[in-house]
Amino acid sequence: MSQSYDRGTVEDFGRWRSFTAGMWAWLFHKFTGWVLIGYLFTHIAVLSTALTGEAAYNDTIVGLESLAIVRLLEVGLLAVAVFHILNGVRLLFIDLGTGLEAQEESFYASLVITGAITIASVPTFVSGVF
Amino acid sequence: MAEHYSSFDRSGTKWLLQRVTAAFLVVVLAFHFFLLHFVNHAADVTFAGTSARMSTWTYFSLMVLFLLTATFHGVNGVHNAIVHRDGIDGWKQTAVTAVLVVASLIMVVQGLRTALVWTNLF
Ligand code: HEM
Ligand code: HEM
């Protein structure tokens, strides 16, 4: 069963802080997981234009990729995916029994690395559309 | 205070399968982004390019496994969140499960049909 938590008293600042990091991690993981599965349904729908024929597939992809909004959404999707992967790996390690002591640090590290990878990828993702 | 937050009941098969698929997806999803955004630009994807990739056994089987595991992992995650965490039962639980199973099946079938159009392996 998922554990319930006792937030402790408001003055107990240390407990309040550790509650927050774990809670944010949980929330972000949920949000990014739902975005990814939502994307997968859309993705298969778009790719399945190939069933109608080669031209339909090519035109759909060229059409979508020429829209700036699609490029920006792709950057967003990358951020979502990178966070879900890194945080997911972090959770897998915790399940295997290591890393719980450093869970806040590893969560912040996931955030920073996600940010860095996302920013570094912007040029590649938007090239040719603006 | 909980030491650790998880949406899953840690003793179940669904919990285990969620971890196993996650371990596989780490590699494949990262590879997928890398291949289709950096090695090949997403904007330059064409039917011919996709076909060439999908016509090798390695890539084809990887993509089919990716489709199956991502669908399972994503839908199992959603199912778990709705049914177990929010604690619904009875006919509501049956309805949610049925909708998710049907939606996944439609998507997997559609994905497989698409994969078969791309490939020349058969
Ligand atoms: C790429 C590597 C991935 C890793 C390492 C990973 C890891 C995880 C883990 C460990 C959980 C369970 C969290 C918990 O116990 O609360 C989870 C939940 C979830 N994942 Fe993933 N995942 C990955 C990819 C994906 C993909 C591709 C999708 C969508 C197709 C996805 C969708 C979800 C959803 C919907 C949940 C449930 C979130 C919730 O609690 O509401 N994940 N993931
Ligand atoms: C914006 C980022 C993405 C791009 C540009 C992209 C592009 C593509 C393309 C072009 C294909 C056809 C195969 C090929 O040409 O090699 C494909 C297949 C696939 N993609 Fe993605 N993809 C992206 C993100 C994702 C994500 C996040 C997921 C998982 C949630 C995913 C899951 C799949 C699956 C399962 C297939 C196989 C489909 C089938 O066999 O019918 N993709 N993708």
Side-chain angles (χ1 to χ4, degrees):
Chain A
M1 228 39 238
S2 30
Q3 299 171 59
S4 60
Y5 41 82
D6 168 7
R7 293 177 203 219
T9 55
V10 177
E11 308 84 83
D12 196 349
F13 200 68
R15 292 175 92 192
W16 177 79
R17 274 201 28 166
S18 63
F19 159 63
T20 303
M23 189 65 198
W24 280 116
W26 180 82
L27 207 65
F28 282 9
H29 200 78
K30 242 181 147 51
F31 172 75
T32 53
W34 286 65
V35 170
L36 285 171
I37 187 65
Y39 175 77
L40 185 57
F41 276 88
T42 321
H43 195 40
I44 299 297
V46 168
L47 295 175
S48 68
T49 51
L51 291 168
T52 325
E54 255 181 67
Y57 181 72
N58 292 343
D59 294 348
T60 307
I61 294 188
V62 170
L64 284 172
E65 294 290 337
S66 66
L67 301 173
I69 181 78
V70 169
R71 298 298 191 93
L72 293 177
L73 287 172
E74 282 180 355
V75 175
L77 182 71
L78 175 81
V80 157
V82 172
F83 177 81
H84 195 89
I85 295 180
L86 293 175
N87 194 61
V89 169
R90 199 179 70 82
L91 296 177
L92 293 178
F93 275 109
I94 292 176
D95 282 325
L96 292 174
T98 44
L100 192 56
E101 328 73 56
Q103 78 162 330
E104 283 188 50
E105 291 82 349
S106 58
F107 166 61
Y108 294 130
S110 306
L111 282 181
V112 171
I113 301 172
T114 302
I117 294 183
T118 307
I119 292 167
S121 306
V122 169
T124 316
F125 274 58
V126 301
S127 75
V129 79
F130 285 109
Chain B
M1 178 178 295
E3 280 191 287
H4 161 256
Y5 300 91
S6 170
S7 303
F8 279 83
D9 174 351
R10 295 183 79 190
S11 55
T13 316
K14 294 181 61 175
W15 173 84
L16 186 67
L17 287 175
Q18 189 74 6
R19 316 289 125 170
V20 172
T21 49
F24 175 71
L25 287 167
V26 175
V27 186
V28 194
L29 186 56
F31 165 76
H32 192 61
F33 265 98
F34 191 71
L35 184 71
L36 292 161
H37 277 291
F38 295 92
V39 178
N40 300 290
H41 257 286
D44 303 333
V45 168
T46 56
F47 189 95
T50 299
S51 260
R53 285 187 290 274
M54 291 296 279
S55 297
T56 63
W57 275 108
T58 337
Y59 193 77
F60 180 83
S61 51
L62 188 69
M63 284 295 112
V64 169
L65 269 180
F66 184 24
L67 175 68
L68 299 176
T69 49
T71 307
F72 174 83
H73 178 96
V75 175
N76 187 41
V78 169
H79 181 263
N80 180 73
I82 298 176
V83 170
H84 296 285
R85 223 193 131 76
D86 299 340
I88 61 167
D89 42 29
W91 72 268
K92 284 188 184 166
Q93 173 170 349
T94 313
V96 167
T97 308
V99 168
L100 290 177
V101 168
V102 170
S104 314
L105 285 178
I106 293 175
M107 182 168 72
V108 167
V109 168
Q110 191 71 350
L112 291 176
R113 286 173 64 214
T114 309
L116 290 175
V117 168
W118 284 328
T119 189
N120 66 9
L121 290 171
F122 301 99

